[in-house]
Amino acid sequence: MSLPVSVQTGVQTGGAGPDTSSPREAVRGIGQRLRTGELGSLPIIGALLVIWVVFQSLNPHFLSSDNLVNLTMQSASTGVLALGVVLVLLVGHIDLSVGSVCGLSAAVVAVGSVQLGWPVAVAVLAALVVGAVVGLLYGILATRLRLPSFVFTLAGLLVIAGLQLKVLGTTGSVNLPFESWLVRTVQQGFLPPAVAYGLTVAVVIAYGGALVAERARRERAGLPVSPLVAVVTRIALIGVALVAAVAYLQTNRGLGVAFALFLGLVAVVDILLRRTRWGRGVHAVGGSVESARRAGVPVRRTYLSVFVACSTLAALGGVLAVGRLSAANQGTGGGDLYLTAIAAAVIGGTSLFGGRGTAWSALWGVLIIHSINSGLTLLNMGASERYVITGLVLALAVTIDTLARRNRTA
């Protein structure tokens, strides 16, 4: 059974809409999107730019290529965790154990490769399998027993943290040799300039092709479309911005392999969410479970797949974390990491109520949080200021999301 047009496209049916090519209709459409909170990533990108301008004015080193390279390297592991959280939030659930899964997978990699003598690749694969198994158990609890995700993931946080301590043993810390390919790749791996520029151009071409194809599809369906010149301008601006960003990073060490992997995962998940039946099902389940079920969406399988993907991504975040620190200890994945991942997903634009958000929410949210951390560190401020400012930003994001949801409901 195919999904209704309203579920597949995310727009209301009813024939051709107004032609947004006229300036009056364009302004009216922007006003409507502003009132309903449907401006996409533009407000988040604007907030990120404001944060950068403020910190740059307070410390000229903030926007240096060296600091931005460090910022991207720090964002990779947390960003992968936030990407998994985005998927869970889209279906109206939450996962509080992503930090513990991250720590357990890091412990499995360290103990397996150092103490048990496994090849590093085998240890990494074992860590990812552990994450997938945890997600499978969560999916069963959510679909078969219909337990609240807040409850069983909170219990999972404690259980998995205990397993992490058990795996690490009495020493509580295991160091990876610096000669390990995992450590060298995550700590010192940077894309060659030719590869970085080539991937950037490929992304811009793929993105532009997707926009043009989407516009043509909507035009054939009689739906509102943006002027072609606006689409071309958008592609050109994004292309210039990406090339400029890569060029600026190349003045220092360049684009890190770990951050490039994170960006690749975001792009893949974005395509899956927007272009596949599974992705449409995720949004439909998050919007209304009963409506999705009536439309033929396999709700149970959707829940199961989302929890498995979230825990597997959390395990991959642990692999990146152990590679970056070249060690796994009792503090890996602990502290406020799971809160940071959830905050990044929400600040990036993912709704706590389900059904709204994109894979790019993880990127923008983690960049905002780590930009705040980096800026405050350069200003010699401590953790107290970081917690306060991050909490205020999170509260603002949730408030905007709540108000936008009320406007859409009205």
Side-chain angles (χ1 to χ4, degrees):
M1 180 183 296
S2 61
L3 294 176
V5 175
S6 59
V7 176
Q8 288 183 351
T9 63
V11 297
Q12 295 181 355
T13 57
D19 184 6
T20 57
S21 59
S22 66
R24 178 177 298 179
E25 292 295 339
V27 173
R28 184 180 302 172
I30 293 175
Q32 177 66 21
R33 294 175 65 187
L34 182 62
R35 287 191 298 272
T36 58
E38 295 293 346
L39 282 176
S41 300
L42 290 180
I44 298 99
I45 297 174
L48 179 62
L49 294 177
V50 169
I51 291 173
W52 283 5
V53 170
V54 170
F55 281 123
Q56 176 67 14
S57 65
L58 296 176
N59 190 315
H61 182 67
F62 179 78
L63 288 181
S64 66
S65 57
D66 180 56
N67 189 56
L68 291 183
V69 169
N70 289 333
L71 192 151
T72 58
M73 298 293 287
Q74 295 164 3
S75 302
S77 177
T78 310
V80 172
L81 267 70
L83 182 59
V85 173
V86 167
L87 294 176
V88 173
L89 289 178
L90 281 176
V91 295
H93 282 274
I94 195 169
D95 190 346
L96 300 177
S97 68
V98 288
S100 296
V101 174
C102 171
L104 177 60
S105 68
V108 170
V109 172
V111 172
S113 61
V114 175
Q115 296 184 353
L116 301 181
W118 298 348
V120 176
V122 173
V124 170
L125 180 61
L128 297 179
V129 170
V130 168
V133 170
V134 171
L136 183 63
L137 293 176
Y138 286 165
I140 293 174
L141 292 175
T143 57
R144 299 296 180 181
L145 302 182
R146 297 185 179 180
L147 297 178
S149 58
F150 182 91
V151 175
F152 62 73
T153 58
L154 179 60
L157 181 154
L158 300 174
V159 172
I160 297 170
L163 292 176
Q164 176 186 352
L165 299 181
K166 189 70 174 179
V167 171
L168 289 173
T170 56
T171 59
S173 179
V174 179
N175 296 325
L176 270 69
F178 288 100
E179 296 77 16
S180 168
W181 65 263
L182 178 61
V183 176
R184 287 188 285 106
T185 300
V186 177
Q187 281 190 1
Q188 307 170 9
F190 293 90
L191 297 181
V195 175
Y197 286 118
L199 290 177
T200 303
V201 172
V203 167
V204 173
I205 293 176
Y207 176 75
L211 282 184
V212 173
E214 176 68 13
R215 183 183 184 278
R217 186 183 67 82
R218 291 177 63 86
E219 195 171 28
R220 288 194 301 270
L223 298 173
V225 295
S226 300
L228 185 58
V229 64
V231 175
V232 174
T233 302
R234 182 179 179 183
I235 296 172
L237 290 176
I238 291 178
V240 170
L242 290 179
V243 171
V246 172
Y248 189 60
L249 294 178
Q250 290 295 336
T251 61
N252 193 264
R253 287 164 289 170
L255 184 64
V257 172
F259 191 71
L261 173 62
F262 168 50
L263 293 178
L265 289 173
V266 170
V268 170
V269 173
D270 178 65
I271 293 173
L272 292 177
L273 288 176
R274 293 188 300 107
R275 301 293 180 182
T276 66
R277 184 180 180 86
W278 173 81
R280 293 190 292 269
V282 169
H283 284 286
V285 170
S288 173
V289 176
E290 186 58 32
S291 298
R293 184 178 287 110
R294 293 180 179 180
V297 176
V299 175
R300 287 187 174 181
R301 279 187 292 175
T302 301
Y303 281 142
L304 195 66
S305 63
V306 164
F307 277 109
V308 170
C310 178
S311 293
T312 304
L313 287 171
L316 179 59
V319 173
L320 297 179
V322 72
R324 177 167 175 77
L325 299 175
S326 68
N329 52 52
Q330 297 175 351
T332 305
D336 63 344
L337 179 60
Y338 75 99
L339 293 176
T340 301
I342 295 174
V346 175
I347 291 172
T350 305
S351 176
L352 283 171
F353 304 100
R356 190 168 67 90
T358 69
W360 297 102
S361 300
L363 173 62
W364 305 126
V366 78
L367 286 179
I368 287 177
I369 288 182
H370 280 284
S371 294
I372 293 173
N373 294 344
S374 176
L376 294 179
T377 300
L378 291 176
L379 296 177
N380 295 320
M381 294 186 181
S384 58
E385 291 84 358
R386 177 170 61 88
Y387 286 136
V388 169
I389 295 178
T390 304
L392 292 176
V393 173
L394 176 60
L396 178 61
V398 174
T399 301
I400 294 174
D401 177 39
T402 303
L403 295 177
R405 182 172 179 265
R406 289 177 182 174
N407 290 334
R408 287 193 301 272
T409 303

